[in-house]
Amino acid sequence: MITGPQPGGKPVKLRNGVILIEEPIVTGKTAAIGFWFYTGSRSENSENRGVTHFTEHMLFKGTKKRTTFDIACAFDRMGGYINAYTERENVCVYCVVPSSSVNVALDIMCDMTENAVFDEIELERERKVVESEIITSKDDPEESALDAVENAVWPDQMISAGISGTVEQVKSLSREDLISWYEEHFVHGAMCTCIAGSFDVKTVAERLSKLGRHDDLPLTDADKVLAAQYADQIPLWKSGISFIKSSFQQEQFFLLYPLKLPVDERMYCTLAVMNALTGDTMSSRLFQSLREKGGWCYSVYSYSTFYADSAFWCAYASSAKRSSGKILADLHAEMSKLFSSGVTSEEVDAAREHLCGEELMADADIENRMKFLERCYEGGYEYKSADDRIALIRSITKEDVGRCLKEMVDVKNRVLVIYGPGLSFKEKKDIISLYK
């Protein structure tokens, strides 16, 4: 068992089972620390829906040594910040602080990890905050649509269950429910810590080693362990067309394609190039066709989503109801052309340069560098410097993108989801005819 730090982005396992990944930057003046706990809404059930997200909130609500105000004041006075988020398969608690405050920040995060007290007054106060967050998300058109879309492609399955739960489900969670979840998944569950910036590597490893015993994780490719964790809930993809009525004014369109797993590092990079030229830039096909030439919409883009055992690529647009037919016709034409005729060398060149520029800018962001360490670990990819990542991007060819379109993207099982105020019978019939 490795017990000492090993700089340079290579994971090591501490004696208590915690995975530690460090990227020291000697010339830096700040540092970013991230704690990942590999639990989320996929680990829950109908009886405790929302418990992970609620527990994440309670990490900030006081420990045996610190009050809620103590935690807030500490980071405010450093001039740094601390935050957290819950996803379907993990929770991340992270901070960015001046280098001189790293040890204090790390000690507070460790305290939150195993000494949260779940004070009853604080818990009931925070319950109202969580309920308010859920209600606010229902007022967000895109956020509401994304939940509806994932439930359309994975109907009534754990992978598509809401991360925060409903207001009623949060009301039903007891203090004992939260404490039990905290003990199992945060105090003793699988944990990975990533830190980038200017810090003392030995001090960081020593402090983390004082945490209690955590579930074992492999030194690479955490996704394999997560996939095994969800072996009893293998997602079943439902292809076809779904019309979902909502109270929002805009119609939102999602054209989704399952992605074939596993995805090696080169294919992941190739997908990024293909995504950039399709919909992730202002000069991309979808942006130019649907917005600049058609004028059908304000928002149009493409993106990919990865889980431990499932993934998809999606083209998205939103518009007024009156433009639905035209926008879907253009979307159909562009995607059909992409899969039938492929891409040009000029498009690949432009997409590569765009991604190289993004890499250079991201490399200057210490929080991004810290989160990149965990992305490499979870995907099983060897950590690369910005120069090496750029070299990999520049090596992607037109032929690579062609193989990605043919081998990775499952065109036959595509899904079209239309989320909005509702279309007429004729409009729906025309769309079904176009996308059948």
Side-chain angles (χ1 to χ4, degrees):
M1 189 76 65
I2 300 172
T3 58
Q6 188 167 342
K10 187 171 182 179
V12 299
K13 185 178 293 188
L14 303 179
R15 59 177 174 265
N16 55 1
V18 172
I19 296 294
L20 172 59
I21 312 172
E22 300 172 306
E23 185 191 11
I25 304 170
V26 178
T27 57
K29 295 182 179 180
T30 61
I33 308 168
F35 285 8
W36 271 265
F37 305 94
Y38 294 100
T39 187
S41 54
R42 284 192 75 176
S43 304
E44 300 168 356
N45 57 52
S46 59
E47 300 299 317
N48 64 0
R49 177 69 61 224
V51 66
T52 310
H53 176 245
F54 197 170
T55 302
E56 172 234 300
H57 273 243
M58 290 306 299
L59 298 180
F60 294 79
K61 298 293 125 181
T63 70
K64 295 174 183 177
K65 296 193 299 182
R66 297 176 172 91
T67 66
T68 303
F69 190 69
D70 290 338
I71 295 170
C73 279
F75 284 92
D76 284 348
R77 290 169 184 171
M78 292 174 195
Y81 59 87
I82 184 169
N83 207 344
Y85 57 83
T86 299
E87 295 186 336
R88 287 185 163 87
E89 296 178 342
N90 61 56
V91 175
C92 177
V93 182
Y94 66 96
C95 73
V96 177
V97 297
S99 299
S100 58
S101 300
V102 167
N103 295 341
V104 175
L106 181 63
D107 190 62
I108 295 173
M109 292 176 70
C110 288
D111 193 25
M112 293 163 63
T113 295
E114 60 180 8
N115 293 312
V117 293
F118 294 85
D119 176 81
E120 291 187 17
I121 295 175
E122 289 283 3
L123 189 149
E124 292 309 320
R125 185 181 293 130
E126 196 63 22
R127 191 191 303 272
K128 295 176 184 177
V129 173
V130 174
E131 291 171 2
S132 178
E133 183 182 352
I134 293 169
I135 294 169
T136 299
S137 71
K138 298 300 182 185
D139 286 334
D140 185 311
E142 281 196 41
E143 194 166 341
S144 294
L146 286 170
D147 279 344
V149 166
E150 297 214 4
N151 193 57
V153 299
W154 292 303
D156 302 316
Q157 298 176 55
M158 296 297 291
I159 192 171
S160 60
I163 293 171
S164 301
T166 64
V167 169
E168 291 72 23
Q169 287 168 329
V170 169
K171 284 183 185 295
S172 72
L173 293 171
S174 68
R175 178 173 182 266
E176 290 70 27
D177 291 333
L178 271 65
I179 291 175
S180 175
W181 200 259
Y182 172 69
E183 290 286 340
E184 180 179 357
H185 296 283
F186 291 81
V187 179
H188 299 298
M191 177 182 174
C192 173
T193 299
C194 299
I195 177 167
S198 178
F199 57 91
D200 183 79
V201 295
K202 183 178 180 180
T203 301
V204 168
E206 287 177 348
R207 179 62 187 91
L208 289 169
S209 295
K210 293 178 181 178
L211 290 172
R213 182 70 198 178
H214 284 258
D215 291 344
D216 276 342
L217 280 170
L219 282 172
T220 185
D221 208 356
D223 260 349
K224 289 183 179 178
V225 173
L226 294 177
Q229 180 178 323
Y230 305 121
D232 62 340
Q233 47 170 288
I234 298 173
L236 300 176
W237 180 271
K238 181 183 177 182
S239 57
I241 302 174
S242 295
F243 298 93
I244 303 175
K245 191 171 178 59
S246 78
S247 59
F248 299 111
Q249 297 300 306
Q250 293 261 309
E251 294 284 355
Q252 297 184 66
F253 313 97
F254 297 81
L255 186 56
L256 305 98
Y257 301 87
L259 296 175
K260 297 175 182 177
L261 300 179
V263 179
D264 63 28
E265 187 178 18
R266 185 172 185 84
M267 187 61 82
Y268 187 89
C269 192
T270 302
L271 176 64
V273 172
M274 185 266 287
N275 185 59
L277 66 88
T278 302
D280 194 38
T281 62
M282 290 176 63
S283 60
S284 66
R285 291 186 177 193
L286 294 180
F287 193 95
Q288 287 296 310
S289 176
L290 276 65
R291 175 168 166 163
E292 299 297 272
K293 295 177 183 177
W296 312 129
C297 59
Y298 171 74
S299 183
V300 54
Y301 54 86
S302 60
Y303 66 96
S304 56
T305 295
F306 282 84
Y307 295 111
D309 52 6
S310 301
F312 64 81
W313 180 53
C314 179
Y316 168 87
S318 63
S319 75
K321 180 180 176 180
R322 64 179 179 274
S323 300
S324 297
K326 293 173 181 176
I327 201 170
L328 283 171
D330 281 0
L331 178 61
H332 176 73
E334 286 298 330
M335 299 307 285
S336 296
K337 184 169 63 175
L338 177 68
F339 289 110
S340 62
S341 303
V343 299
T344 67
S345 297
E346 291 75 17
E347 287 179 308
V348 173
D349 289 343
R352 285 193 312 234
E353 290 310 305
H354 168 78
L355 292 172
C356 289
E358 281 192 334
E359 287 291 342
L360 287 172
M361 290 186 288
D363 198 52
D365 182 340
I366 197 66
E367 180 184 320
N368 182 78
R369 289 179 74 156
M370 175 270 292
K371 290 179 177 178
F372 179 70
L373 295 173
E374 197 279 338
R375 288 199 296 275
C376 289
Y377 168 67
E378 193 170 328
Y381 306 143
E382 182 180 353
Y383 174 80
K384 287 182 170 60
S385 67
D387 288 343
D388 289 339
R389 295 197 297 273
I390 288 171
L392 175 58
I393 292 168
R394 289 209 165 113
S395 73
I396 301 300
T397 65
K398 172 186 171 182
E399 290 71 29
D400 288 326
V401 176
R403 280 192 293 274
C404 177
L405 289 167
K406 290 180 180 179
E407 299 174 9
M408 186 177 175
V409 184
D410 184 356
V411 181
K412 292 182 179 179
N413 285 307
R414 72 183 179 185
V415 175
L416 175 64
V417 179
I418 301 170
Y419 181 87
L423 304 175
S424 68
F425 176 79
K426 182 182 183 306
E427 288 169 325
K428 289 182 180 179
K429 185 178 178 181
D430 291 342
I431 290 167
I432 292 171
S433 175
L434 185 63
Y435 281 86
K436 65 180 179 181

